[in-house]
Amino acid sequence: MEIKIESGGLRLDKALSDLTELSRSLANEQIKLGQVLVNGQVKKAKYTVKEDDIITYHVPEPEVLEYVAEEIPLEIIYQDEDVAVVNKPQGMVVHPSAGHTSGTLVNALMYHIKDLSGINGVLRPGIVHRIDKDTSGLLMIAKNDDAHLALAQELKDKKSLRKYWAIVHGNLPNDRGVIEAPIGRSEKDRKKQAVTAKGKPAVTRFHVLERFGDYSLVELQLETGRTHQIRVHMAYIGHPVAGDEVYGPRKTLKGHGQFLHAKTLGFTHPRTGETMEFTVDIPEIFKETLERLRKN
């Protein structure tokens, strides 16, 4: 593929992503691989394009991701013709992606639940919202498109109930509080989220349930649903979630990832209008860790 620069001044990677179908990250990747030429020559991403430059680039073949039903054990808390509520185990990815093409919640859903909404496409059937791989707990699943639209709108309107339990580092100074700080992509590390002025509004309420000196058991309620919101907010106030390898310290509690559990989920049933609320117990590793903290 070939394009001609009409107006110079941009970095090569920015110009390529602005003027073609390539994302900024994919443009960078192609530049590093030498797949992008400027007037027949390989240039770095920081090269400033000039008027009349001819850029030749390659559009890589998209990776075809397929999902199949897999007989994976899945705890279904509730199910009717419109919605289901499942208890996702820690360590399970929600939907297929590059590097996670099997063993996901979607693979399990395809086996256990035959009817799922198609609004999010073939790779995320029924998925209304997500929790991280190493976060356990409740998720709502839409079984048809009408239910999906209603549940998604309720989330957007901040009317759904989502309460989590977490073990966090340190002894919080207040028993209750509200963290209100915008979250967006980190400018220092693009793989991470961060509190940033350029981010989207994010609100998390917390309530300290128990204190153990170096650690605290906290209940957290989401008013918004930004990526990694609880993990980022708790790290921001100096009390990162224990076991969090991304946002927490190296010296932490041993487990299978962060000690974060989606314990309570509430929503309005899309067909009946009934208020639905579900609660599940914390995983065994979480219970065992709490018992050790209490004894110490």
Side-chain angles (χ1 to χ4, degrees), residues 4 18 79 82 86 92 119 134-135 138 158 181 185 196 216-217 235 253 274 279:
K4 182 177 181 180
D18 285 355
Q79 182 176 188
D82 298 299
V86 300
M92 177 182 276
I119 285 178
D134 290 330
T135 298
L138 295 173
K158 304 175 186 176
R185 185 79 65 182
T196 170
S216 301
L217 174 64
L253 297 176
E274 179 185 357
T279 298

Side-chain angles (χ1 to χ4, degrees), residues 187-206:
E187 295 180 6
K188 295 180 180 178
D189 184 344
R190 304 300 289 176
K191 294 180 180 179
K192 297 170 65 174
Q193 300 295 111
V195 170
T196 170
K198 296 179 181 179
K200 294 181 179 180
V203 180
T204 306
R205 298 184 178 276
F206 69 82

Side-chain angles (χ1 to χ4, degrees), residues 93 103 256 260:
V93 175
H256 305 307
L260 182 60

Side-chain angles (χ1 to χ4, degrees), residues 69-269:
E70 295 180 21
E71 191 176 355
I72 301 169
L74 182 64
E75 185 179 2
I76 301 174
I77 304 299
Y78 173 83
Q79 182 176 188
D80 61 28
E81 61 182 323
D82 298 299
V83 298
V85 176
V86 300
N87 184 17
K88 185 189 83 68
Q90 190 178 38
M92 177 182 276
V93 175
V94 170
H95 60 77
S97 61
H100 296 285
T101 56
S102 65
T104 73
L105 177 64
V106 163
N107 296 114
L109 286 173
M110 292 299 297
Y111 179 85
H112 293 282
I113 302 175
K114 302 308 178 185
D115 298 317
L116 294 166
S117 71
I119 285 178
N120 274 338
V122 295
L123 293 181
R124 290 185 287 173
I127 302 300
V128 182
H129 62 129
R130 292 176 289 176
I131 55 178
D132 299 329
K133 173 189 173 185
D134 290 330
T135 298
S136 57
L138 295 173
L139 282 168
M140 64 179 88
I141 305 298
K143 296 184 66 177
N144 55 65
D145 289 357
D146 288 341
H148 193 130
L149 290 170
L151 294 171
Q153 186 62 48
E154 188 170 58
L155 278 171
K156 185 178 180 181
D157 293 340
K158 304 175 186 176
K159 294 179 180 178
S160 300
L161 177 65
R162 287 171 292 166
K163 289 184 178 180
Y164 291 69
W165 274 19
I167 301 175
V168 302
H169 282 266
N171 199 341
L172 282 77
N174 301 308
D175 287 340
R176 296 177 183 271
V178 180
I179 308 165
E180 190 168 357
I183 292 176
R185 185 79 65 182
S186 170
E187 295 180 6
K188 295 180 180 178
D189 184 344
R190 304 300 289 176
K191 294 180 180 179
K192 297 170 65 174
Q193 300 295 111
V195 170
T196 170
K198 296 179 181 179
K200 294 181 179 180
V203 180
T204 306
R205 298 184 178 276
F206 69 82
H207 173 208
V208 179
L209 301 176
E210 289 185 68
R211 298 177 185 274
F212 311 107
D214 292 336
Y215 297 93
S216 301
L217 174 64
V218 183
E219 182 181 74
L220 303 124
Q221 183 170 338
L222 291 178
E223 288 197 8
T224 52
R226 307 302 172 207
T227 301
H228 300 171
Q229 178 171 319
I230 288 174
R231 298 164 64 191
V232 171
H233 268 174
M234 295 312 294
Y236 177 67
I237 66 170
H239 298 280
V241 177
D244 190 337
E245 296 180 355
V246 177
Y247 300 102
R250 289 186 179 181
K251 187 177 180 181
T252 187
L253 297 176
K254 293 182 179 180
H256 305 307
Q258 63 265 7
F259 285 86
L260 182 60
H261 176 68
K263 198 172 195 300
T264 301
L265 176 66
F267 56 88
T268 303
H269 194 282

